[in-house]
Amino acid sequence: MSSSSLTPNWPGLIEAYKDWLPVNENTPVITLKEGATPLIRIKAIEKLIQKDIKVYAKYDGLNPTGSFKDRGMTMAISKAKEKKCEAVICASTGNTSASAAAYAKRAGMRAFVLIPDGYVAQGKLAQALVYGAEVLAIKGNFDCALDIVQEMAEKYPITLVNSVNPFRLHGQKTAAFEIIESLNDAPDWLCIPMGNAGNISAYWMGFEEYFQAGKSNKLPKMMGFQASGSAPLVFNKIIKNPKTIATAIRIGNPVNKEKALAAKKNSKGSFLDVTDEEIINAYKILGKEEGIFCEPASAASVAGLLKRKEEIPESSTIVCVLTGNGLKDPDCAIKNNDAAFYSGLNPEIKTVAKTMGF
């Protein structure tokens, strides 16, 4: 089934791609109809690059809980349910906690999430709470939280659903399938933000599987981007105190490091860091020029593409992955925009018209 067949009958990822996923007739499918997200041409970015190219955004912020994590979570939770699991746990900078809670509750499980206290965007925390997760905020960063939940999953009867869970990556690889189906081939470049580096690893898995099956004629270069203050894969070292406005990728010791490095090597791709200023610039361009509201971490893919524009071959097709919805982080949006905002106006037509320039 093609993602372009998005209709009220879209069954969700597992049913759509079951022949490509490690599921069987005994797997209870836990779905919120995730997947089939749009591939949107972003001409404002093409104009800035000034080459004969096509640039698209894979807008995964339109998944049920507003991020790409739903692709992996439908698989992780379905497989946990298959094993009669009653509780799941994750460490999260926000998106994983929201997704894990939603899918766990749909499956009738308890969901425990460990978050770095004070470092999770309000929109994401709100989701986890509304979905009924049991939230534990720790005095430490994401990497510390991940260490704890990994040990918890080893010692107690609880399933870990971070991206070290192999089923997560199988679900996430379906985004690559959808891109190939939309373009009738793989892109030349796939630009993607990197935090724990599961997504770049999953995309590469998906591109390789479709290529080997003859469903595409080429493999893309995997171009991964991290925030300058949180770029362990770029600088090849653990960042003990990662800092960036892009909270979703504020991770200093990615668990999928080796898989990501293999994807870079095998695709002849490259990794680069982008500053918070460059991220916010791309974030604002996507909003005000294209009507696409993504969270700051998502904009790292576009910021990175703009930073690499001199290297882009003519006639290229490029896809930038937008991992999460802008509503995840409303504080960032309110603080970082170029909109005109007039307050305290008298409630009369003359005042309103004059303010509008009439």
Side-chain angles (χ1 to χ4, degrees), residues 252-272:
N253 188 18
V255 293
N256 294 291
K257 175 184 176 180
E258 298 307 322
K259 289 189 181 79
L261 291 172
K264 180 179 80 164
K265 180 183 176 182
N266 295 334
S267 72
K268 299 180 174 62
S270 67
F271 294 167
L272 185 69

Side-chain angles (χ1 to χ4, degrees), residues 13-54:
L13 288 184
I14 294 177
E15 289 295 340
Y17 295 110
K18 59 187 173 186
D19 293 342
W20 300 86
L21 296 169
V23 293
N24 55 57
E25 64 276 7
N26 298 318
T27 308
V29 177
I30 309 302
T31 182
L32 287 163
K33 309 291 178 158
E34 59 297 311
T37 56
L39 195 66
I40 305 168
R41 184 91 176 261
I42 44 177
K43 293 187 177 181
I45 303 303
E46 295 172 4
K47 287 177 186 173
L48 288 172
I49 293 170
Q50 296 183 321
K51 289 185 178 179
D52 179 26
I53 59 172
K54 290 181 179 176

Side-chain angles (χ1 to χ4, degrees), residues 134-146:
E134 295 174 61
V135 180
L136 294 83
I138 65 162
K139 295 175 181 176
N141 61 23
F142 169 84
D143 301 299
C144 176
L146 186 58

Side-chain angles (χ1 to χ4, degrees), residues 143-284:
D143 301 299
C144 176
L146 186 58
D147 288 341
I148 293 170
V149 297
Q150 285 180 292
E151 192 172 344
M152 287 286 298
E154 288 173 8
K155 293 183 175 179
Y156 299 95
I158 192 164
T159 299
L160 182 63
V161 292
N162 280 99
S163 58
V164 289
N165 181 316
F167 299 119
R168 278 275 309 274
L169 301 194
H170 278 287
Q172 287 165 216
K173 75 184 179 186
T174 59
F177 299 166
E178 292 177 13
I179 289 171
I180 290 170
E181 289 163 6
S182 295
L183 297 174
N184 296 314
D185 205 348
D188 297 293
W189 283 18
L190 191 283
C191 297
I192 187 166
M194 297 186 300
N196 229 0
N199 214 23
I200 189 171
S201 308
Y203 267 87
W204 181 242
M205 188 197 310
F207 284 126
E208 279 199 308
E209 287 184 12
Y210 257 29
F211 177 73
Q212 289 163 6
K215 289 181 170 285
S216 66
N217 300 310
K218 61 188 175 188
L219 288 163
K221 288 189 175 184
M222 304 299 285
M223 313 298 278
F225 300 100
Q226 294 191 296
S228 298
S230 181
L233 291 167
V234 178
F235 302 134
N236 196 29
K237 65 177 184 179
I238 294 171
I239 309 296
K240 291 190 177 177
N241 188 24
K243 294 179 181 178
T244 173
I245 195 169
T247 55
I249 53 173
R250 188 190 280 153
I251 294 169
N253 188 18
V255 293
N256 294 291
K257 175 184 176 180
E258 298 307 322
K259 289 189 181 79
L261 291 172
K264 180 179 80 164
K265 180 183 176 182
N266 295 334
S267 72
K268 299 180 174 62
S270 67
F271 294 167
L272 185 69
D273 65 303
V274 286
T275 66
D276 278 6
E277 185 180 3
E278 289 165 334
I279 288 171
I280 292 300
N281 179 54
Y283 170 83
K284 293 199 288 189

Side-chain angles (χ1 to χ4, degrees), residues 37 64 69 79 81 88 118 129 210 257 300 314 329 333 354:
T37 56
K69 305 285 187 176
K79 295 301 285 188
K81 188 73 173 175
V88 298
L129 296 171
Y210 257 29
K257 175 184 176 180
E314 292 283 349
D329 194 345
K354 185 178 180 182

